[in-house]
Amino acid sequence: MFCNKMLELQRLYRQASLLALITIYYNLGEGVVSVWFGAGDETIALFGFGVDSFVEVISGVGIWHLVRRLGRGETADRDTFERQALRVTGGAFYLLTAGLLATAVLSLLQGHQPQTTRWGIIVSLVSIVSMQVLIHFKTKVGTALNSPAILADAACTRTCLRLSVVLLLASLGYQLTGIGSLDAIGSLVIAVFSFLEGREAFQKARGLGCGCSCACGTGLKSEH
């Protein structure tokens, strides 16, 4: 029985590690596509969404590292690498927030309009579906392992889902109405999410929480 339980735990942690890697590579691809077409189509919301995806890669590497440690039977207390990754993530989110705020305000003042937001619609729809699949499996694995850390990661993926919805609304709204300010407003909302994610990252680096929602209210230290 004990051996079977250990084998099952190892299988679940391998799944969790794979999900973390999928998230990293997905965000890399999403970031490249979003930044490329966001710059080409002059849509701030899509460009900002892409930069946010790149920052999520840094956070994802920290999560992958944490899951691998948990799979080796270590405690969920964050090590030096994870804390440093969180600080870099938090700083990058704050820089993104400042850049999006400045660009969005300038865009509103100048009455700038994107060339098109079709790619924003496509990227956001793909992201919504992908994030829902990742949330489902991360929650399933996290529940099976009774892991606050993995459940917290699933909760953070829900934040990415909300960002995708914001991008979809801004892109679809502009495509249907031609109101250029919708793109800038969408980027302002993304800036707010980026600020909250940055604050969350610094809090986690200081050990003040495990992230993104009350789904992990028991705290990381309760694991193992």
Side-chain angles (χ1 to χ4, degrees):
M1 283 290 293
F2 177 77
C3 290
N4 289 337
K5 184 178 180 180
M6 291 302 297
L7 288 173
E8 178 63 11
L9 284 174
Q10 290 175 3
R11 184 185 68 82
L12 288 169
Y13 275 117
R14 283 197 299 270
Q15 287 185 2
S17 179
L18 178 60
L19 287 169
L21 284 174
I22 290 172
T23 304
I24 291 170
Y25 286 115
Y26 176 84
N27 278 322
L28 276 173
E30 181 179 78
V32 170
V33 171
S34 299
V35 167
W36 178 270
F37 286 103
D41 296 337
E42 298 181 5
T43 161
I44 309 169
L46 180 58
F47 185 86
F49 183 81
V51 177
D52 183 276
S53 297
F54 284 134
V55 180
E56 292 288 355
V57 170
I58 305 172
S59 176
V61 170
I63 292 294
W64 176 73
H65 179 73
L66 172 61
V67 169
R68 283 177 60 83
R69 287 200 305 103
L70 293 175
R72 293 195 297 266
E74 299 181 28
T75 67
D77 296 324
R78 298 186 186 279
D79 64 10
T80 303
F81 175 83
E82 289 152 21
R83 289 194 296 270
Q84 185 61 33
L86 284 167
R87 293 189 191 100
V88 173
T89 299
F93 273 131
Y94 280 165
L95 287 174
L96 175 59
T97 300
L100 284 176
L101 286 174
T103 306
V105 170
L106 186 62
S107 176
L108 287 170
L109 291 175
Q110 294 179 342
H112 172 76
Q113 289 189 316
Q115 294 182 13
T116 179
T117 55
R118 284 195 303 271
W119 275 102
I121 296 171
I122 294 170
V123 169
S124 60
L125 287 174
V126 172
S127 182
I128 287 170
V129 174
S130 301
M131 293 303 105
Q132 286 179 326
V133 172
L134 285 171
I135 290 168
H136 170 76
F137 285 106
K138 286 180 180 182
T139 302
K140 183 177 179 180
V141 172
T143 301
L145 288 168
N146 191 26
S147 169
I150 296 173
L151 289 173
D153 184 37
C156 290
T157 306
R158 289 191 185 92
T159 300
C160 298
L161 175 61
R162 296 186 188 106
L163 279 172
S164 303
V165 172
V166 170
L167 177 62
L168 176 62
L169 292 175
S171 302
L172 188 60
Y174 174 77
Q175 203 67 22
L176 293 175
T177 66
I179 300 174
S181 60
L182 290 176
D183 180 59
I185 292 171
S187 67
L188 285 174
V189 177
I190 292 174
V192 171
F193 273 104
S194 296
F195 174 79
L196 294 175
E197 288 183 287
R199 185 178 65 181
E200 182 78 39
F202 279 117
Q203 287 175 341
K204 287 190 286 185
R206 294 196 299 269
L208 299 181
C210 59
C212 294
S213 81
C214 59
C216 54
T218 54
L220 279 176
K221 291 185 180 181
S222 66
E223 188 160 7
H224 281 297

